Amino acid sequence: MRDLFSNYKIKVYEDNYTIGFNKGDLFEARLIPYKDSFFFAKSFCFHPPEAKKFIKKQVKATNALPIEEQTSAREKLMFMLFKMKSKYVQYKHVPLEMIYTLETKLKF
């Protein structure tokens, strides 16, 4: 696994949850450190592959901020992406490009 914000490669020793993961998947997950490794918490938020370009652009913009602003900007971005994913699942009739955008005109 690779962290999008830091680009660090992280080894997760948990076979039960990684079944069904594909290379290049973008997802949010909680990692629990234990001794020399990490384990997943039980909740995941997988983003559609079509949103990858938008997400990477937002991560890059967040990483370009001054160091003291990055932590809060990352938290806001993660929350925004979670809301977008929820809307994408709920409103299947709405095109992805209208949900994964900063300029949405949709009223939810």
Side-chain angles (χ1 to χ4, degrees):
M1 232 179 50
R2 189 170 300 276
D3 182 303
L4 278 181
F5 290 110
S6 65
N7 208 30
Y8 290 133
K9 189 172 182 179
I10 302 168
K11 287 201 175 241
V12 178
Y13 299 97
E14 183 109 28
D15 291 337
N16 296 337
Y17 295 113
T18 57
I19 296 171
F21 281 33
N22 296 308
K23 187 173 183 172
D25 282 348
L26 286 181
F27 62 93
E28 298 171 39
R30 299 228 183 248
L31 290 174
I32 301 166
Y34 180 72
K35 296 184 181 178
D36 295 344
S37 61
F38 291 92
F39 293 88
F40 283 121
K42 292 186 179 183
S43 63
F44 295 90
C45 178
F46 280 86
H47 295 283
E50 301 85 6
K52 185 181 255 185
K53 185 176 179 180
F54 172 80
I55 293 171
K56 285 189 170 189
K57 184 177 178 182
Q58 298 310 309
V59 168
K60 186 175 181 179
T62 301
N63 285 343
L65 293 172
I67 298 288
E68 58 274 0
E69 296 176 25
Q70 286 184 11
T71 300
S72 72
R74 288 175 178 174
E75 289 173 4
K76 287 178 185 175
L77 176 60
M78 297 294 286
F79 184 64
M80 179 183 76
L81 292 173
F82 180 78
K83 289 190 329 185
M84 288 177 175
K85 167 60 180 192
S86 297
K87 289 177 186 177
Y88 178 71
V89 169
Q90 183 176 5
Y91 302 103
K92 293 188 181 286
H93 62 286
V94 177
L96 177 124
E97 298 80 23
M98 292 181 72
I99 295 174
Y100 279 85
T101 180
L102 297 178
E103 301 168 8
T104 186
K105 294 179 181 170
L106 299 172
K107 301 291 183 204
F108 293 109

